[in-house]
Coordinates of all heavy atoms in Angstrom, one line a residue:
F14 N 9.2 102.0 -9.4 CA 9.2 100.6 -9.0 C 8.7 100.5 -7.5 O 7.7 99.8 -7.2 CB 10.6 100.0 -9.0 CG 10.7 98.6 -8.5 CD1 10.3 97.5 -9.2 CD2 11.4 98.4 -7.3 CE1 10.4 96.3 -8.6 CE2 11.5 97.2 -6.7 CZ 11.0 96.1 -7.4
Q15 N 9.2 101.4 -6.7 CA 8.8 101.4 -5.3 C 7.4 101.8 -5.1 O 6.6 101.2 -4.4 CB 9.7 102.3 -4.5 CG 9.5 102.2 -3.0 CD 10.5 103.1 -2.2 OE1 11.2 103.9 -2.8 NE2 10.5 102.9 -0.9
S16 N 6.9 102.9 -5.8 CA 5.6 103.3 -5.8 C 4.6 102.3 -6.3 O 3.5 102.1 -5.7 CB 5.4 104.6 -6.6 OG 6.2 105.7 -6.0
L17 N 4.9 101.7 -7.4 CA 4.0 100.6 -7.9 C 3.8 99.4 -7.0 O 2.7 98.8 -6.9 CB 4.5 100.2 -9.3 CG 4.3 101.2 -10.4 CD1 5.0 100.7 -11.7 CD2 2.8 101.4 -10.7
Q18 N 4.8 99.1 -6.2 CA 4.7 98.0 -5.3 C 3.6 98.2 -4.2 O 3.1 97.3 -3.7 CB 6.1 97.7 -4.6 CG 7.1 97.1 -5.5 CD 8.4 96.8 -4.7 OE1 8.9 97.6 -4.0 NE2 8.9 95.6 -5.0
T19 N 3.3 99.5 -3.9 CA 2.3 99.8 -2.9 C 0.9 99.7 -3.4 O 0.0 99.7 -2.6 CB 2.5 101.3 -2.4 OG1 2.2 102.2 -3.4 CG2 3.9 101.5 -1.8
V20 N 0.7 99.5 -4.7 CA -0.7 99.4 -5.3 C -0.9 98.0 -6.0 O -1.9 97.9 -6.8 CB -1.0 100.6 -6.2 CG1 -1.1 101.9 -5.5 CG2 0.0 100.7 -7.4
V21 N -0.1 97.0 -5.7 CA -0.4 95.7 -6.2 C -1.7 95.2 -5.7 O -2.1 95.4 -4.5 CB 0.7 94.7 -5.8 CG1 0.4 93.3 -6.2 CG2 2.1 95.1 -6.4
G22 N -2.5 94.7 -6.6 CA -3.9 94.2 -6.3 C -5.0 95.2 -6.5 O -6.1 94.9 -6.3
K23 N -4.6 96.4 -6.8 CA -5.6 97.5 -7.0 C -5.7 97.9 -8.4 O -4.9 97.6 -9.3 CB -5.1 98.7 -6.1 CG -5.1 98.4 -4.6 CD -4.7 99.6 -3.8 CE -4.7 99.2 -2.4 NZ -4.1 100.1 -1.5
P24 N -6.8 98.6 -8.7 CA -7.0 99.1 -10.1 C -6.0 100.1 -10.5 O -5.5 100.9 -9.6 CB -8.4 99.8 -10.1 CG -9.0 99.5 -8.8 CD -7.9 99.0 -7.9
I25 N -5.6 100.1 -11.8 CA -4.6 101.0 -12.3 C -4.8 101.3 -13.8 O -5.4 100.5 -14.5 CB -3.2 100.3 -12.1 CG1 -2.1 101.3 -12.2 CG2 -3.0 99.1 -12.9 CD1 -0.7 100.7 -11.8
V26 N -4.4 102.5 -14.2 CA -4.3 102.8 -15.6 C -2.8 103.1 -15.9 O -2.2 103.9 -15.2 CB -5.2 104.0 -16.0 CG1 -5.0 104.4 -17.5 CG2 -6.6 103.8 -15.6
V27 N -2.3 102.5 -16.9 CA -0.9 102.7 -17.3 C -0.8 103.2 -18.7 O -1.4 102.6 -19.6 CB -0.1 101.3 -17.2 CG1 1.4 101.5 -17.6 CG2 -0.2 100.8 -15.8
Q28 N -0.2 104.3 -18.9 CA 0.0 104.8 -20.3 C 1.4 104.4 -20.7 O 2.4 104.7 -20.0 CB -0.1 106.4 -20.3 CG 0.2 107.0 -21.7 CD -0.9 106.6 -22.7 OE1 -2.1 106.6 -22.3 NE2 -0.5 106.4 -23.9
T29 N 1.5 103.8 -21.9 CA 2.8 103.3 -22.4 C 3.0 104.1 -23.7 O 2.2 104.8 -24.2 CB 2.8 101.8 -22.7 OG1 2.0 101.5 -23.8 CG2 2.3 101.0 -21.5
V30 N 4.2 103.8 -24.3 CA 4.5 104.4 -25.6 C 3.6 103.9 -26.7 O 3.5 104.5 -27.8 CB 5.9 104.2 -26.0 CG1 6.8 104.9 -25.0 CG2 6.3 102.8 -26.1
R31 N 2.8 102.8 -26.5 CA 1.9 102.2 -27.4 C 0.5 102.4 -27.1 O -0.4 101.9 -27.9 CB 2.2 100.7 -27.5 CG 3.6 100.3 -28.0 CD 3.6 100.5 -29.5 NE 4.9 100.0 -30.0 CZ 5.3 100.2 -31.2 NH1 4.6 100.9 -32.0 NH2 6.5 99.7 -31.6
G32 N 0.1 103.0 -26.0 CA -1.3 103.2 -25.6 C -1.4 103.0 -24.2 O -0.5 102.8 -23.4
S33 N -2.7 102.9 -23.7 CA -2.9 102.7 -22.3 C -3.6 101.4 -22.0 O -4.2 100.8 -22.9 CB -3.8 103.8 -21.7 OG -5.1 103.8 -22.3
V34 N -3.4 100.9 -20.8 CA -3.9 99.6 -20.3 C -4.6 99.9 -19.0 O -4.0 100.6 -18.1 CB -2.9 98.6 -20.1 CG1 -3.5 97.3 -19.5 CG2 -2.1 98.3 -21.4
R35 N -5.9 99.5 -18.8 CA -6.6 99.7 -17.6 C -6.9 98.3 -17.0 O -7.4 97.4 -17.8 CB -7.9 100.4 -17.9 CG -8.9 100.5 -16.7 CD -10.2 101.1 -17.2 NE -10.0 102.5 -17.5 CZ -10.3 103.5 -16.7 NH1 -10.8 103.3 -15.5 NH2 -10.1 104.8 -17.0
G36 N -6.6 98.1 -15.7 CA -6.9 96.8 -15.1 C -6.4 96.8 -13.7 O -6.3 97.8 -13.1
S37 N -6.1 95.6 -13.3 CA -5.7 95.4 -11.9 C -4.2 95.0 -11.9 O -3.7 94.2 -12.7 CB -6.4 94.2 -11.3 OG -6.0 93.9 -10.0
L38 N -3.4 95.8 -11.1 CA -1.9 95.5 -11.0 C -1.7 94.2 -10.3 O -2.0 94.1 -9.1 CB -1.2 96.7 -10.4 CG 0.3 96.6 -10.3 CD1 0.9 96.5 -11.7 CD2 0.9 97.7 -9.5
K39 N -1.2 93.2 -11.0 CA -1.0 91.9 -10.3 C 0.4 91.7 -9.8 O 0.6 91.0 -8.8 CB -1.3 90.8 -11.4 CG -2.8 90.8 -11.7 CD -3.6 90.5 -10.5 CE -5.1 90.4 -10.8 NZ -5.9 90.3 -9.6
K40 N 1.4 92.3 -10.5 CA 2.8 92.0 -10.1 C 3.7 93.1 -10.5 O 3.5 93.7 -11.6 CB 3.3 90.7 -10.8 CG 4.6 90.1 -10.4 CD 4.9 88.8 -11.0 CE 6.2 88.2 -10.6 NZ 6.4 86.9 -11.2
V41 N 4.8 93.4 -9.7 CA 5.8 94.4 -10.0 C 7.1 93.7 -9.8 O 7.4 93.2 -8.7 CB 5.6 95.6 -9.1 CG1 6.7 96.6 -9.4 CG2 4.3 96.3 -9.2
V42 N 8.0 93.7 -10.8 CA 9.3 93.2 -10.8 C 10.2 94.3 -11.4 O 9.7 95.2 -12.0 CB 9.5 91.8 -11.4 CG1 8.7 90.8 -10.7 CG2 9.1 91.9 -12.9
P43 N 11.5 94.2 -11.2 CA 12.4 95.3 -11.6 C 12.3 95.7 -13.1 O 12.4 96.9 -13.4 CB 13.8 94.8 -11.3 CG 13.6 93.9 -10.2 CD 12.3 93.2 -10.4
D44 N 12.0 94.8 -14.0 CA 12.0 95.2 -15.4 C 10.6 95.3 -16.0 O 10.5 95.7 -17.2 CB 12.9 94.2 -16.2 CG 12.3 92.8 -16.3 OD1 11.6 92.4 -15.3 OD2 12.7 92.1 -17.2
H45 N 9.5 94.8 -15.3 CA 8.2 94.9 -15.9 C 7.1 94.8 -14.8 O 7.4 94.5 -13.7 CB 8.0 93.7 -16.9 CG 7.8 92.4 -16.4 ND1 9.0 91.6 -16.0 CD2 6.8 91.6 -16.0 CE1 8.5 90.4 -15.6 NE2 7.2 90.4 -15.5
I46 N 5.9 95.1 -15.3 CA 4.7 95.0 -14.4 C 3.7 94.1 -15.1 O 3.8 93.9 -16.3 CB 4.1 96.3 -14.0 CG1 3.5 97.0 -15.2 CG2 5.0 97.2 -13.2 CD1 2.7 98.3 -14.9
V47 N 2.8 93.5 -14.4 CA 1.8 92.7 -15.0 C 0.4 93.3 -14.6 O 0.1 93.5 -13.4 CB 1.8 91.2 -14.5 CG1 0.7 90.4 -15.1 CG2 3.2 90.6 -14.8
V48 N -0.4 93.7 -15.6 CA -1.7 94.3 -15.4 C -2.7 93.3 -16.0 O -2.6 92.9 -17.2 CB -1.8 95.6 -16.1 CG1 -3.2 96.2 -15.9 CG2 -0.8 96.6 -15.5
E49 N -3.7 92.9 -15.2 CA -4.7 92.0 -15.7 C -6.0 92.8 -16.1 O -6.4 93.6 -15.3 CB -5.1 91.0 -14.6 CG -6.1 89.9 -15.1 CD -6.4 88.9 -14.1 OE1 -5.5 88.1 -13.7 OE2 -7.5 88.8 -13.6
S50 N -6.4 92.6 -17.3 CA -7.6 93.3 -17.8 C -8.4 92.4 -18.7 O -7.9 91.7 -19.6 CB -7.1 94.5 -18.7 OG -8.2 95.2 -19.2
A51 N -9.7 92.3 -18.3 CA -10.7 91.4 -19.1 C -10.1 90.0 -19.2 O -10.3 89.4 -20.3 CB -11.0 92.0 -20.4
G52 N -9.5 89.4 -18.2 CA -9.0 88.1 -18.2 C -7.7 87.9 -18.9 O -7.2 86.8 -19.0
N53 N -7.1 88.9 -19.4 CA -5.8 88.9 -20.1 C -4.7 89.5 -19.2 O -5.0 90.5 -18.5 CB -5.9 89.6 -21.4 CG -6.8 89.0 -22.4 OD1 -6.7 87.9 -22.7 ND2 -7.8 89.8 -22.8
S54 N -3.5 89.0 -19.3 CA -2.4 89.5 -18.5 C -1.5 90.3 -19.5 O -1.1 89.8 -20.5 CB -1.6 88.4 -17.9 OG -2.3 87.8 -16.9
F55 N -1.3 91.6 -19.2 CA -0.4 92.4 -20.0 C 0.9 92.6 -19.3 O 0.9 93.1 -18.1 CB -1.1 93.8 -20.2 CG -2.3 93.8 -21.1 CD1 -3.5 93.5 -20.6 CD2 -2.2 94.0 -22.5 CE1 -4.6 93.4 -21.4 CE2 -3.3 94.0 -23.3 CZ -4.5 93.7 -22.7
Y56 N 2.0 92.2 -19.9 CA 3.3 92.4 -19.3 C 3.9 93.6 -19.9 O 4.2 93.7 -21.1 CB 4.2 91.1 -19.7 CG 3.7 89.9 -19.0 CD1 2.6 89.2 -19.5 CD2 4.3 89.4 -17.8 CE1 2.1 88.1 -18.8 CE2 3.9 88.3 -17.2 CZ 2.8 87.6 -17.7 OH 2.4 86.5 -17.1
I57 N 4.1 94.7 -19.1 CA 4.5 96.0 -19.6 C 5.9 96.2 -19.0 O 6.1 96.3 -17.8 CB 3.6 97.0 -19.1 CG1 2.1 96.7 -19.6 CG2 4.0 98.4 -19.6 CD1 1.0 97.6 -19.0
R58 N 6.9 96.5 -19.9 CA 8.2 96.9 -19.5 C 8.2 98.2 -18.8 O 7.6 99.2 -19.3 CB 9.2 96.9 -20.7 CG 9.4 95.5 -21.3 CD 10.2 95.5 -22.5 NE 11.4 96.4 -22.4 CZ 12.1 96.9 -23.4 NH1 11.7 96.6 -24.6 NH2 13.1 97.6 -23.2
T59 N 8.9 98.3 -17.7 CA 8.8 99.6 -16.9 C 9.5 100.7 -17.7 O 9.0 101.9 -17.5 CB 9.5 99.4 -15.5 OG1 10.8 98.8 -15.7 CG2 8.7 98.5 -14.6
D60 N 10.4 100.5 -18.5 CA 11.0 101.6 -19.3 C 10.1 102.1 -20.4 O 10.4 103.1 -21.1 CB 12.4 101.3 -19.8 CG 12.4 100.1 -20.8 OD1 11.4 99.5 -21.0 OD2 13.5 99.8 -21.3
Q61 N 9.0 101.4 -20.6 CA 8.0 101.9 -21.6 C 6.8 102.6 -21.0 O 5.9 103.1 -21.7 CB 7.4 100.6 -22.4 CG 8.5 99.9 -23.1 CD 9.0 100.7 -24.3 OE1 8.3 101.1 -25.1 NE2 10.3 100.8 -24.3
I62 N 6.8 102.8 -19.7 CA 5.7 103.4 -19.0 C 5.9 105.0 -19.0 O 7.0 105.4 -18.7 CB 5.6 103.0 -17.5 CG1 5.3 101.5 -17.4 CG2 4.6 103.8 -16.7 CD1 5.3 100.9 -16.0
I63 N 4.9 105.7 -19.4 CA 4.9 107.1 -19.4 C 4.3 107.7 -18.2 O 4.9 108.6 -17.5 CB 4.2 107.7 -20.7 CG1 4.9 107.2 -21.9 CG2 4.1 109.2 -20.6 CD1 4.2 107.5 -23.2
W64 N 3.2 107.3 -17.8 CA 2.5 107.7 -16.6 C 1.6 106.6 -16.1 O 1.2 105.7 -16.8 CB 1.8 109.0 -16.7 CG 0.7 109.1 -17.8 CD1 0.9 109.8 -18.9 CD2 -0.6 108.6 -17.8 NE1 -0.3 109.7 -19.7 CE2 -1.2 109.0 -19.0 CE3 -1.4 107.8 -16.9 CZ2 -2.5 108.6 -19.4 CZ3 -2.6 107.4 -17.3 CH2 -3.2 107.8 -18.5
V65 N 1.3 106.7 -14.7 CA 0.4 105.7 -14.1 C -0.6 106.4 -13.2 O -0.3 107.4 -12.6 CB 1.3 104.7 -13.2 CG1 0.4 103.8 -12.4 CG2 2.3 104.0 -14.0
V66 N -1.9 105.9 -13.2 CA -2.9 106.4 -12.3 C -3.3 105.2 -11.4 O -4.0 104.4 -11.9 CB -4.1 107.0 -13.1 CG1 -5.2 107.5 -12.1 CG2 -3.7 108.1 -14.0
P67 N -2.9 105.2 -10.2 CA -3.4 104.2 -9.3 C -4.8 104.5 -8.8 O -5.1 105.7 -8.6 CB -2.4 104.2 -8.1 CG -1.7 105.5 -8.2 CD -1.9 106.0 -9.6
N68 N -5.6 103.5 -8.6 CA -7.0 103.7 -8.2 C -7.8 104.8 -9.0 O -8.3 105.8 -8.4 CB -7.0 104.1 -6.7 CG -6.3 103.0 -5.8 OD1 -6.7 101.8 -5.9 ND2 -5.4 103.4 -5.1
P69 N -7.9 104.6 -10.3 CA -8.5 105.6 -11.1 C -10.0 105.8 -10.8 O -10.7 104.8 -10.4 CB -8.3 105.1 -12.5 CG -8.2 103.6 -12.3 CD -7.5 103.4 -11.0
K70 N -10.5 107.0 -10.8 CA -11.9 107.3 -10.5 C -12.7 107.5 -11.8 O -13.2 106.6 -12.4 CB -12.1 108.4 -9.6 CG -11.3 108.3 -8.3 CD -12.0 107.2 -7.4 CE -11.3 107.1 -6.1 NZ -11.0 105.7 -5.7
L71 N -12.7 108.7 -12.3 CA -13.6 109.0 -13.4 C -12.8 109.3 -14.7 O -12.9 110.3 -15.4 CB -14.4 110.3 -13.1 CG -15.3 110.2 -11.9 CD1 -16.0 111.5 -11.6 CD2 -16.4 109.1 -12.2
M72 N -11.9 108.3 -15.1 CA -11.1 108.4 -16.3 C -11.8 107.7 -17.4 O -12.4 106.7 -17.2 CB -9.8 107.8 -16.1 CG -8.9 108.6 -15.1 SD -7.2 108.0 -15.2 CE -6.8 108.5 -16.8
P73 N -11.9 108.3 -18.6 CA -12.5 107.7 -19.7 C -11.8 106.4 -20.1 O -10.6 106.2 -19.9 CB -12.3 108.7 -20.9 CG -11.3 109.7 -20.4 CD -11.2 109.6 -18.9
E74 N -12.5 105.5 -20.6 CA -12.0 104.2 -21.0 C -11.1 104.3 -22.2 O -11.3 105.0 -23.1 CB -13.1 103.2 -21.4 CG -14.0 102.9 -20.2 CD -13.4 101.8 -19.3 OE1 -12.7 100.9 -19.8 OE2 -13.6 101.9 -18.0

Side-chain angles (χ1 to χ4, degrees):
F14 175 76
Q15 186 176 14
S16 295
L17 287 171
Q18 286 183 317
T19 67
V20 293
V21 171
K23 297 182 179 169
I25 193 169
V26 179
V27 180
Q28 179 68 41
T29 73
V30 297
R31 297 281 187 193
S33 65
V34 177
R35 173 187 290 264
S37 177
L38 181 60
K39 294 298 180 184
K40 187 175 185 180
V41 178
V42 294
D44 66 335
H45 71 277
I46 64 173
V47 180
V48 177
E49 186 176 293
S50 179
N53 297 302
S54 294
F55 292 84
Y56 293 78
I57 302 168
R58 292 176 44 201
T59 51
D60 63 354
Q61 299 293 305
I62 296 173
I63 297 170
W64 53 257
V65 175
V66 178
N68 302 306
K70 301 292 183 225
L71 299 174
M72 292 192 63
E74 296 278 330

